[in-house]
């Protein structure tokens, strides 16, 4: 290749035109005269004024320090000394300080085994280089994303072969990359899900759909069923011909297992609820009817055969039957509380209700010489079922009296305070107290009693707790043996 | 008149029937009884009696839970008989289930819901109400 330097005007114009359009400049170096010539375009690429006169040293100094300058220096020297042509892509820093990728071509013109001229091309390739670098970077980014994604990703060809798979996908299925790339997706799909997948694949190839999402099963290398969410799209070339599929496979086996467990639990709970209802029915009907008969028969015996009642045994039978009746009633209450779904709560003034409970046991209070100090704010209104509130208040009051210290009359303090959205009713007695470490867990259990007391049947607290919880409250307790007990009854405030 | 002519007990529990009868005797409640083991049996016998209008019971003590035809089914059939309003029906059940109690309130023919066991006092109350009619 030689650049003619004696041309007619029109062909020089053409050359300039080409140079400018293609951003290609020319240069020439005469090693004998050490004159370096740059074409206009070469100067433009260097961003120097058009009257700029370069020399070799200056020319080389434009190249970026390091790799670019070292390479060009070596190749340029080699071209003059050993007549080796060069064609490289390196960076320069222009006169105005810009980084620029350029392509430099040098050809030695040799006469008598001596280099008499070096001719060359100088091309601005900055934009294309930077674009392709950018592209390469993007490709790398995508590749990294693909590789390290937590979700399984794959490229699958139109026959279903795994072309590329990522780490996560291999982990999901238990195969190595090499192993899985010898298989098709059909090989590891659960047989029952094959048809559906195949149909979707065909629809995508035919262009009916371009995206497909499903929940399906795969079979891992360990022969385990893997539940996964699959999302596939088809990639087509610019003519619309299908190329391959891109698939995302998200392992949901654990989620499936958990949700199965939850639904099993739900079924069990529903079953148990049904059984509880049944149980409640047995209590409310069957058990009651037997008790009713016994009670009725005892009445008849009293009237019909009064002589048979005049002994030690009859009153005991009578008592046993009465206790049976009470137990059945209590059980019934418990069952009713647990079954009732929509309780009709209403705003209730706490002090009014407390006073009512108080007066209903006034005889007991006077008899037992109990002292009660009541500090209930008369403005407090709670949200409760009237019957429940009555029962709750009555139960705590009678309990406090019942479990007084044997040696002295009961002393009870009632206080209220507001905590969050609750009214806390504090009922403090200075009675026997309960060993909470020993009995704490059993305190509110069914039929648990802690005191040797004739009248302690132990269902009271259990029912009370159920009632408090049924209206959205809770109970806390503090107690010390021989010091007394404080119950904190959290009741919902009326809004 | 100071007692009921005929009282009818519809209940499958022989102990209750025995007890109820004895209590009625002891409290001088009625002259005679009719006892049926379930709703179907009662319906079969009561229908012709009521159509003939002879020896019709004044009151019925009706249990709810019975085999073959329970108390509710009996009621649904019984109200179809024209002269059913001449009788007073008491539900006598050991069920304290509010569902049952509320259901009983929906029947106009039902005078009251009595929870077992019954006592002579209960019977006396019924007697007073009936005789006052």
């Amino acid at each position: 290749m030689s650049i003619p330097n004696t041309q007619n005007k029109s062909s020089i114009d053409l050359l300039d035109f080409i140079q400018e359009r293609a951003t290609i400049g020319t240069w020439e170096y005469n090693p004998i005269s050490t004159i370096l010539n740059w074409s206009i375009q070469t100067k433009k690429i260097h961003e120097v004024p058009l009257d700029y006169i370069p020399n070799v040293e200056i020319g080389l100094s434009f190249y970026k320090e390091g790799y670019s300058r070292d390479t060009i220096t070596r190749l340029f020297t080699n071209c003059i000394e050993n007549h080796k042509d060069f064609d490289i892509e390196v960076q320069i820093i222009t006169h105005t300080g810009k980084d620029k990728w350029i392509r430099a071509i040098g050809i030695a013109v040799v006469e008598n085994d001596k280099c008499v001229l070096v001719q060359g091309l100088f091309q601005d390739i900055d934009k294309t280089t930077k674009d392709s670098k950018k592209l390469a970077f993007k490709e790398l980014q995508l590749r990294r994303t693909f590789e390290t994604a937590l979700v399984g990703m794959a490229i699958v060809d139109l026959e279903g072969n795994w072309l590329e798979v990522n780490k996560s996908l291999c982990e999901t299925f238990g195969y190595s990359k090499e192993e899985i790339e010898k298989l098709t997706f059909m090989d590891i799909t659960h047989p029952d899900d094959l048809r559906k997948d195949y149909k979707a694949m065909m629809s995508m190839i035919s262009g009916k759909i371009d995206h497909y999402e499903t929940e399906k099963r795969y079979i891992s290398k360990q022969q385990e069923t893997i539940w996964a969410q699959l999302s596939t799209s088809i990639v087509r070339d610019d003519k619309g011909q299908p190329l391959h599929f891109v698939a995302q496979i998200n392992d949901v086996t654990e989620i499936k297992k958990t949700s199965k467990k939850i639904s099993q639990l739900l079924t069990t709970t529903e079953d148990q609820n049904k059984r509880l209802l049944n149980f409640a029915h047995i209590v409310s009907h069957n058990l009651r009817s037997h008790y009713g008969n016994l009670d009725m028969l005892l009445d008849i015996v009293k009237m019909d055969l009064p002589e048979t009642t005049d002994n030690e045994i009859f009153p005991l039978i009578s008592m046993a039957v009465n206790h049976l009746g009470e137990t059945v009633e209590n059980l019934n209450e418990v069952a009713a509380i647990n079954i009732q779904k929509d309780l009709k709560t209403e705003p209730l003034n706490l002090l009014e209700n407390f006073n009512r409970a108080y007066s209903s046991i006034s005889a007991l209070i006077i008899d037992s010489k109990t002292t009660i100090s009541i500090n209930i704010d008369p403005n407090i209104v709670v949200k409760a079922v009237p019957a429940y509130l009555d029962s709750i208040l009555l139960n705590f009051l009678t309990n406090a009296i019942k479990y007084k210290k044997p040696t002295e009359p009961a002393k009870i303090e009632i206080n209220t305070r507001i905590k969050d959205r609750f009214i806390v009713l504090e009922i403090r007695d200075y009675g026997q107290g309960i060993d909470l470490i020993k009995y704490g867990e059993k305190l509110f259990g069914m039929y648990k009693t802690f005191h040797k007391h004739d009248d302690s049947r132990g269902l009271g607290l259990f029912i009370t707790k159920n009632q408090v919880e049924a209206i959205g409250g809770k109970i806390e307790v503090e107690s010390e043996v021989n010091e007394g007990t404080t119950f904190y009854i959290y009741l919902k405030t009326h809004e | 008149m100071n007692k009921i002519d005929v009282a009818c007990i519809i209940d499958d529990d022989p102990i209750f029937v025995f007890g109820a009868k004895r209590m009625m005797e002891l409290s001088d409640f009625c002259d005679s009884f009719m006892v049926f083991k379930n709703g179907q049996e009662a319906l079969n016998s009561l229908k012709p009696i009521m159509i003939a209008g002879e020896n019709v019971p004044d009151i019925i003590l009706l249990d709810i839970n019975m085999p073959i035809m329970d108390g509710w089914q009996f009621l649904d059939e019984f109200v179809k008989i024209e002269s059913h309003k001449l009788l007073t029906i008491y539900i006598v059940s050991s069920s304290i289930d509010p569902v049952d109690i509320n259901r009983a309130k929906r029947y106009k023919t039902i005078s009251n819901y009595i929870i077992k066991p019954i006592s002579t006092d209960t019977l006396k109350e019924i007697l007073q109400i009936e005789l006052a009619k």
Side-chain angles (χ1 to χ4, degrees):
Chain A
M1 187 184 171
S2 73
I3 309 290
N5 42 13
T6 48
Q7 294 280 334
N8 64 37
K9 185 145 186 341
S10 67
S11 73
I12 289 173
D13 283 351
L14 178 67
L15 202 64
D16 283 347
F17 177 76
I18 293 168
Q19 287 202 16
E20 187 159 342
R21 278 299 158 140
T23 57
I24 296 175
T26 58
W27 56 277
E28 226 176 37
Y29 174 68
N30 188 328
I32 299 150
S33 66
T34 71
I35 290 170
L36 176 64
N37 270 322
W38 283 356
S39 75
I40 292 169
Q41 189 58 36
T42 304
K43 283 180 183 167
K44 276 187 183 166
I45 295 169
H46 280 89
E47 293 177 337
V48 292
L50 294 181
D51 57 1
Y52 190 83
I53 299 167
N55 63 41
V56 171
E57 259 134 62
I58 291 171
L60 290 176
S61 72
F62 273 96
Y63 289 84
K64 203 173 175 177
E65 229 177 306
Y67 171 79
S68 292
R69 195 180 293 171
D70 293 349
T71 309
I72 191 69
T73 307
R74 180 167 46 78
L75 291 176
F76 185 68
T77 314
N78 202 29
C79 186
I80 294 164
E81 287 171 2
N82 303 317
H83 319 141
K84 286 266 182 344
D85 301 345
F86 63 88
D87 182 348
I88 51 160
E89 288 176 5
V90 286
Q91 274 172 295
I92 60 163
I93 293 168
T94 66
H95 192 61
T96 60
K98 279 185 208 147
D99 262 27
K100 216 178 222 182
W101 281 93
I102 56 99
R103 181 184 180 188
I105 297 172
I107 296 155
V109 179
V110 183
E111 276 173 16
N112 301 323
D113 203 26
K114 212 165 175 212
C115 177
V116 292
L117 200 66
V118 181
Q119 293 181 318
L121 293 177
F122 198 75
Q123 185 182 10
D124 183 345
I125 54 163
D126 194 58
K127 193 169 169 355
T128 45
T129 310
K130 277 185 180 157
D131 281 354
S132 71
K133 291 234 171 207
K134 227 184 248 171
L135 205 64
F137 178 70
K138 273 195 180 149
E139 209 273 340
L140 183 73
Q141 262 185 328
L142 274 176
R143 178 149 296 281
R144 290 254 167 88
T145 312
F146 181 87
E147 255 327 301
T148 56
L150 285 172
V151 57
M153 293 175 101
I155 295 171
V156 178
D157 73 10
L158 300 177
E159 273 83 52
N161 299 298
W162 303 98
L163 295 181
E164 266 186 79
V165 295
N166 72 350
K167 218 173 94 204
S168 172
L169 188 123
C170 294
E171 279 165 9
T172 300
F173 296 132
Y175 289 104
S176 72
K177 229 176 182 133
E178 293 70 35
E179 284 171 325
I180 207 162
E181 279 171 4
K182 283 183 197 128
L183 300 168
T184 65
F185 84 79
M186 290 80 96
D187 291 328
I188 62 166
T189 291
H190 192 285
D192 293 349
D193 290 345
L194 256 179
R195 243 180 75 86
K196 194 173 61 169
D197 266 15
Y198 192 73
K199 261 172 93 177
M201 196 170 140
M202 287 300 131
S203 302
M204 275 193 281
I205 291 174
S206 71
K208 247 188 256 166
I209 53 170
D210 64 358
H211 185 78
Y212 169 61
E213 267 178 52
T214 187
E215 198 171 79
K216 61 170 282 192
R217 286 161 293 175
Y218 291 93
I219 305 288
S220 73
K221 191 183 181 184
Q222 291 76 26
Q223 297 302 312
E224 279 164 1
T225 300
I226 308 284
W227 273 99
Q229 267 172 344
L230 166 70
S231 167
T232 318
S233 345
I234 192 158
V235 177
R236 295 169 184 277
D237 64 14
D238 50 9
K239 291 186 192 81
Q241 285 302 308
L243 291 175
H244 54 77
F245 300 105
V246 179
Q248 288 188 44
I249 295 165
N250 198 6
D251 186 352
V252 293
T253 312
E254 280 308 308
I255 297 168
K256 273 262 162 189
K257 273 189 197 159
T258 320
S259 73
K260 204 174 159 191
K261 225 181 253 172
I262 289 169
S263 87
Q264 270 172 351
L265 266 175
L266 194 69
T267 318
T268 315
T269 315
E270 275 169 1
D271 277 358
Q272 276 173 344
N273 260 340
K274 259 184 223 153
R275 253 175 278 156
L276 187 65
L277 255 168
N278 261 332
F279 171 75
H281 188 78
I282 291 167
V283 169
S284 82
H285 188 83
N286 301 29
L287 218 50
R288 275 208 97 249
S289 71
H290 299 314
Y291 150 73
N293 280 340
L294 280 174
D295 193 58
M296 185 179 64
L297 290 173
L298 284 176
D299 270 1
I300 292 169
V301 170
K302 266 189 252 171
M303 291 184 277
D304 263 7
L305 310 160
E307 66 280 7
T308 59
T309 62
D310 187 20
N311 52 43
E312 278 176 28
I313 297 169
F314 189 86
L316 290 177
I317 294 174
S318 210
M319 205 154 85
V321 170
N322 278 337
H323 284 168
L324 176 65
E326 278 169 33
T327 304
V328 169
E329 203 147 301
N330 286 336
L331 278 174
N332 220 309
E333 251 175 80
V334 175
I337 296 163
N338 283 308
I339 288 161
Q340 214 130 36
K341 272 178 194 150
D342 25 50
L343 286 167
K344 291 203 179 75
T345 55
E346 37 187 277
L348 298 169
N349 182 291
L350 189 62
L351 185 60
E352 277 172 27
N353 279 270
F354 186 89
N355 285 339
R356 202 173 320 127
Y358 178 85
S359 59
S360 75
I361 55 162
S362 54
L364 174 68
I365 291 166
I366 294 162
D367 284 352
S368 59
K369 297 190 175 75
T370 300
T371 50
I372 302 186
S373 79
I374 303 164
N375 304 304
I376 298 174
D377 180 342
N379 295 317
I380 288 175
V381 177
V382 296
K383 217 175 101 191
V385 176
Y388 285 7
L389 186 61
D390 280 354
S391 150
I392 293 161
L393 295 174
L394 210 57
N395 210 321
F396 278 114
L397 268 180
T398 48
N399 258 351
I401 298 169
K402 209 185 284 174
Y403 301 117
K404 68 182 188 64
K405 282 183 191 141
T407 48
E408 50 192 273
K411 199 176 137 204
I412 304 167
E413 281 171 20
I414 315 289
N415 288 297
T416 50
R417 64 191 157 89
I418 296 168
K419 195 177 174 188
D420 302 329
R421 290 166 62 205
F422 289 102
I423 296 294
V424 186
L425 177 67
E426 292 181 19
I427 302 184
R428 179 186 304 270
D429 68 52
Y430 293 90
Q432 299 172 25
I434 305 158
D435 186 344
L436 285 177
I437 295 162
K438 241 181 184 164
Y439 301 113
E441 276 179 28
K442 296 179 183 168
L443 184 57
F444 296 100
M446 217 190 265
Y447 288 102
K448 306 283 180 199
T449 56
F450 317 97
H451 305 284
K452 285 177 187 151
H453 197 286
D454 299 340
D455 198 19
S456 59
R457 290 192 312 277
L459 204 59
L461 270 181
F462 180 75
I463 291 177
T464 305
K465 181 175 184 264
N466 272 276
Q467 285 172 333
V468 170
E469 283 169 3
I471 54 174
K474 60 177 178 177
I475 300 175
E476 282 171 6
V477 63
E478 274 172 15
S479 188
E480 205 139 316
V481 177
N482 286 325
E483 296 287 324
T485 306
T486 309
F487 283 102
Y488 302 91
I489 304 144
Y490 288 69
L491 297 167
K492 282 230 168 129
T493 25
H494 172 68
E495 278 141 21
Chain B
M1 195 171 85
N2 57 6
K3 63 168 122 170
I4 288 165
D5 287 339
V6 185
C8 172
I9 302 169
I10 308 174
D11 200 308
D12 63 320
D13 180 356
I15 301 176
F16 173 79
V17 173
F18 167 81
K21 273 167 78 176
R22 191 74 196 105
M23 286 230 173
M24 285 179 182
E25 284 162 11
L26 288 167
S27 54
D28 213 12
F29 186 76
C30 56
D31 283 331
S32 62
F33 308 102
M34 258 179 220
V35 177
F36 303 106
K37 281 206 285 287
N38 63 60
Q40 189 64 55
E41 211 176 81
L43 206 63
N44 291 346
S45 307
L46 284 175
K47 239 186 200 165
I49 290 175
M50 289 175 67
I51 290 165
E54 279 172 28
N55 213 13
V56 180
D58 301 285
I59 70 159
I60 294 177
L61 304 185
L62 176 67
D63 186 24
I64 295 173
N65 286 344
M66 286 180 289
I68 304 169
M69 184 189 269
D70 69 17
W72 304 122
Q73 289 168 314
F74 170 81
L75 275 170
D76 290 337
E77 290 303 314
F78 185 75
V79 293
K80 290 178 190 163
I81 302 171
E82 213 160 289
S83 50
H84 74 266
K85 280 178 189 158
L86 297 173
L87 286 81
T88 314
I89 298 177
Y90 289 85
I91 295 274
V92 184
S93 171
S94 48
S95 169
I96 52 172
D97 191 336
V99 175
D100 285 336
I101 296 170
N102 286 328
R103 191 168 172 185
K105 282 180 188 156
R106 291 209 297 269
Y107 287 90
K108 280 185 188 143
T109 35
I110 293 173
S111 280
N112 211 342
Y113 190 104
I114 298 165
I115 292 166
K116 288 179 186 175
I118 58 163
S119 60
T120 46
D121 289 342
T122 318
L123 289 174
K124 274 173 199 155
E125 274 171 41
I126 295 174
L127 192 63
Q128 267 174 10
I129 294 166
E130 289 307 307
L131 294 178
K133 275 184 184 171

